């Protein structure tokens, strides 16, 4: 994946992109391989190049996972943790399938931010957008019903990835939607029975997005 396709870097000119690319190092990950663990020192900014990366936290006993989000190609990991007063990863990350990330070392990224004002401005705009997305997620978790949140999630994935996008597991999807796996399974089944979605394993097609959107109301 070209760095110009990454939302964080999309507005940068070719010289800034080339400077970033010189610092980026590819890191392949096997399915289930850990990228970083909660509490470890932050050493790099990561760009998902291919595959899926799950970001999660463990309960106090270290047994149950709570999935915070699943990142796809083009998404960035650890961009906020870089700037914490004590820069450690606030959650853990592992590959859900064979994946590859680009790692940009922390010191190199800081140097580029200081040397290249367009990169600093792009970072501020990106973090502002992420804050807006988190506020929208909070609104959905507090005020919207499970089926509505599920339909919105499916439509968002369709816009970003097109037909045949991969669905997270029901426990992962439940964590993303703020519900329980049984509710996810029940609502997915209902959407399937109504013909609003087609399922092939964990791949989803939405034959009529307008009808699914109307189902939110």
């Amino acid at each position: 994946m070209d760095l110009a396709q990454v939302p964080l870097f999309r507005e940068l000119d070719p010289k800034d992109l080339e400077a970033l690319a010189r610092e980026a190092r590819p890191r392949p990950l096997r399915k289930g391989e850990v990228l970083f663990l909660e509490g470890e020192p932050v050493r790099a900014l990561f760009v998902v190049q291919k595959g899926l990366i799950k970001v999660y936290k463990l309960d106090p006993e270290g047994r149950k996972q709570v999935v915070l989000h699943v990142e796809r190609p083009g998404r960035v990991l650890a961009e906020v943790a870089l700037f914490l007063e004590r820069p450690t990863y606030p959650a853990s990350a592992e590959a859900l399938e064979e994946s590859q990330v680009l790692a940009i070392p922390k010191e190199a990224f800081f140097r580029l931010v200081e040397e290249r004002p367009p990169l600093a401005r792009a970072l501020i705009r990106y973090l502002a957008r992420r804050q807006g997305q988190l506020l929208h997620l909070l609104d959905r978790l507090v005020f919207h019903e499970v089926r509505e949140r599920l339909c919105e999630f499916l439509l968002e994935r369709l816009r970003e990835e097109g037909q045949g996008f991969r669905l997270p597991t029901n426990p992962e999807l439940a964590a993303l939607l703020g519900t329980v796996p049984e509710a996810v399974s029940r609502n997915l089944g209902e959407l399937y029975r109504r013909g609003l979605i087609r399922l092939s394993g964990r791949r989803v097609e939405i034959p009529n997005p307008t009808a699914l959107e109307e189902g939110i109301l």
Side-chain angles (χ1 to χ4, degrees), residues 23 38 40-41 52 62 69 77 113 115 133 135 149 165 173 204 212:
E23 302 293 346
E38 180 178 356
E40 288 183 345
L52 294 170
H69 44 96
L77 296 167
V113 168
E115 292 175 353
Q133 292 167 357
L135 290 173
R149 300 201 299 269
F165 61 87
L173 190 49
V204 180
L212 183 62

Side-chain angles (χ1 to χ4, degrees), residues 11-132:
E11 300 172 14
L12 297 180
D13 64 34
K15 289 184 178 179
D16 291 327
L17 289 170
E18 288 171 9
L20 279 168
R22 283 195 295 270
E23 302 293 346
R25 300 292 181 268
R27 177 175 170 182
L29 297 166
R30 300 181 305 276
K31 180 179 180 180
E33 185 175 351
V34 172
L35 178 60
F36 54 77
L37 290 172
E38 180 178 356
E40 288 183 345
V42 176
R43 295 189 173 90
L45 173 79
F46 298 103
V47 178
V48 183
Q49 199 170 27
K50 67 178 182 179
L52 294 170
I53 307 295
K54 173 178 66 176
V55 180
Y56 65 94
K57 292 180 74 73
L58 296 176
D59 68 9
E61 287 75 34
R63 293 193 298 267
K64 183 178 179 182
Q65 286 189 7
V66 176
V67 179
L68 303 177
H69 44 96
V70 177
E71 299 295 7
R72 295 163 174 77
R75 299 299 182 96
V76 178
L77 296 167
E79 73 278 13
V80 175
L82 280 173
F83 295 93
L84 296 176
E85 185 175 353
R86 297 179 61 189
T88 59
Y89 295 112
S92 303
E94 71 174 54
L96 285 175
E97 60 186 40
E98 282 211 10
S99 304
Q100 182 163 295
V101 298
L102 292 174
I104 303 175
K106 179 179 67 174
E107 293 77 10
F109 187 72
F110 281 168
R111 174 173 51 78
L112 290 172
V113 168
E114 292 174 359
E115 292 175 353
R116 298 175 180 271
L119 177 57
R121 290 194 292 270
L123 179 63
I124 292 169
R125 286 193 294 270
Y126 178 80
L127 294 176
R129 288 196 300 270
R130 291 285 280 179
Q131 182 184 35

